[in-house]
């Protein structure tokens, strides 16, 4: 006897780290060429002892934007700074001032991060360059907060360039933007409940929202503008031997001392594959066998 009824569409989402894959799939007609799902389900590996499942109801990942800046000065010899307009000094002032956005313009109850990850200028120690290039990211718990921070970035960059005597205004370009990921409360509760029954309550954790970003939630918008409910959870994948040897008495202390995603030392335990398949299968079946009084016939679930 069948224990479920419906359609499951499996999606291997590309370019998740660059924020391009989900949009490309949607623009390519994903929801026109395949059944529009009633529910979206996705998961991502993370640092933490393998065997756990991390669920967060509501906001789970931040909205983010990547920005490229070019500061225009006037180059010259390092022995004659008075004949130049040094873009390195202007850029350094920009880096320092940007840190005041979160410290002085964002309420303590709100969550945001501004990070300058790239600063390139010059070719030699005795030459003042003509330009300086900076790359930064803005992360915020909501799109509204992200827009406020982006406005502050534009204001600060332009003001510092003017204060430093830049020869022309700065080039400011948003090169990538991703929305916040906000889990549906009902779907989150349903998936967490089935995982509790499958793995036991001691293996289910709620780490709270993270400031990382990804574009999965772009898939949750249909061509007619309807929002599809979704749930995105994490599978810790640090080998137990690595976790046990990490310094720290508390889980949070250990979490900060094991390799995280994108670290060259991040090496997930291969057993996370079996764990992930079991967790996703359970979540899909939970949706496909939901109370018929609360769901439509032929309920569909999509896995990413």
């Amino acid at each position: 006897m069948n224990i479920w009824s419906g359609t499951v569409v499996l999606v291997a989402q590309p370019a998740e780290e660059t924020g391009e894959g989900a949009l490309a799939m949607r623009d390519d007609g994903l929801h026109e060429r395949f059944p529009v799902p009633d529910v979206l389900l996705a998961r991502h590996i993370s640092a933490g002892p393998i065997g756990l499942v991390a669920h967060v109801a509501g906001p789970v990942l931040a909205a983010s934007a990547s920005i490229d800046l070019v500061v225009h000065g006037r180059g010259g010899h390092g022995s004659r700074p008075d004949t130049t307009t040094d873009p390195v000094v202007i850029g350094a002032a920009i880096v320092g001032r940007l840190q005041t956005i979160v410290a002085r313009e964002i309420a303590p109850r709100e969550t945001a991060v501004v990070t300058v990850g790239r600063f390139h200028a010059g070719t030699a120690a005795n030459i003042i360059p003509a330009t300086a290039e900076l790359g930064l990211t803005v992360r915020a718990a909501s799109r509204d907060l992200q827009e406020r921070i982006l406005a502050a970035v534009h204001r600060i960059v332009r003001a510092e360039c003017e204060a430093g005597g830049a020869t022309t205004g700065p080039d400011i370009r948003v090169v990538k933007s991703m929305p916040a990921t906000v889990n549906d409360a009902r779907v989150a509760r349903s998936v967490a409940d089935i995982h509790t029954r499958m793995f036991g309550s001691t293996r289910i954790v709620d780490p709270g929202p993270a400031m990382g970003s990804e574009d999965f939630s772009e898939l949750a918008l249909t061509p007619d503008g309807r929002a599809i409910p979704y749930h995105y959870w994490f599978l810790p994948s640090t080998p137990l031997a690595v976790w046990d040897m990490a310094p720290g008495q508390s889980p949070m202390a250990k979490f900060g001392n094991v390799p995280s995603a994108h670290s060259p030392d991040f090496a997930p335990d291969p057993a996370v594959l079996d764990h992930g398949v079991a967790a996703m299968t359970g979540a899909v079946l939970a949706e496909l066998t939901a109370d018929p009084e609360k769901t439509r016939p032929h309920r569909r679930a999509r896995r990413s």
Side-chain angles (χ1 to χ4, degrees):
M1 182 178 70
N2 291 335
I3 64 171
W4 60 272
S5 175
T7 300
V8 180
V9 179
L10 279 73
V11 175
Q13 179 186 333
E16 159 259 339
E17 296 294 350
T18 62
E20 300 167 310
L23 273 177
M25 296 178 74
R26 205 178 73 194
D27 292 345
D28 193 46
L30 175 69
H31 292 317
E32 292 90 355
R33 296 163 57 190
F34 302 96
V36 176
D38 296 308
V39 171
L40 288 162
L41 302 171
R43 72 279 182 270
H44 198 295
I45 59 173
S46 68
I50 187 170
L52 300 183
V53 187
H55 290 287
V56 179
V60 60
L61 292 174
S64 71
S66 296
I67 306 166
D68 282 350
L69 307 176
V70 179
V71 176
H72 298 277
R74 184 171 58 187
H77 199 283
S79 66
R80 300 187 62 196
D82 55 301
T83 65
T84 72
T85 300
D86 194 340
V88 176
V89 173
I90 298 173
I94 289 172
V95 172
R97 178 67 68 177
L98 288 175
Q99 308 312 307
T100 67
I101 296 175
V102 175
R104 289 295 177 268
E105 299 189 36
I106 304 302
R109 65 179 178 277
E110 297 181 299
T111 305
V113 177
V114 177
T115 298
V116 179
R118 179 170 54 85
F119 192 146
H120 291 164
T123 58
N126 65 335
I127 299 174
I128 293 174
T131 60
E133 299 178 1
L134 292 81
L136 60 138
T137 57
V138 169
R139 301 178 187 273
S142 68
R143 178 69 80 182
D144 175 68
L145 179 57
Q146 181 189 47
E147 292 299 325
R148 287 160 47 200
I149 296 173
L150 288 174
V153 169
H154 280 73
R155 184 192 77 239
I156 287 170
V157 171
R158 291 190 179 112
E160 290 294 348
C161 285
E162 183 176 355
T167 54
T168 63
D171 298 332
I172 307 174
R173 187 166 64 99
V174 177
V175 294
K176 180 174 64 176
S177 181
M178 289 186 277
T181 303
V182 182
N183 285 331
D184 179 83
R186 186 210 60 83
V187 182
R189 184 168 57 252
S190 172
V191 176
D193 286 349
I194 193 64
H195 287 169
T196 299
R197 293 197 293 272
M198 291 174 64
F199 306 119
S201 60
T202 60
R203 293 185 178 271
I204 309 302
V205 297
D206 182 351
M211 293 310 291
S213 304
E214 88 122 272
D215 66 342
F216 160 73
S217 61
E218 295 281 10
L219 299 178
L221 188 66
T222 65
D224 60 2
R226 179 173 63 88
I228 304 170
Y230 61 82
H231 182 53
Y232 180 103
W233 69 92
F234 288 94
L235 291 172
S237 57
T238 302
L240 291 181
V242 175
W243 179 261
D244 290 341
M245 290 189 298
Q249 297 297 316
S250 69
M252 285 306 298
K254 284 182 173 290
F255 185 77
N257 288 310
V258 295
S260 61
H262 297 201
S263 163
D265 298 319
F266 184 62
D269 191 318
V272 75
L273 294 173
D274 291 338
H275 187 45
V277 169
M280 180 57 76
T281 302
V284 169
L285 289 176
E287 287 300 311
L288 292 172
T289 59
D291 184 347
E293 296 299 321
K294 299 179 180 179
T295 60
R296 297 195 300 273
H298 304 295
R299 187 169 183 84
R300 297 179 292 273
R302 172 167 288 155
R303 167 187 168 189
S304 172

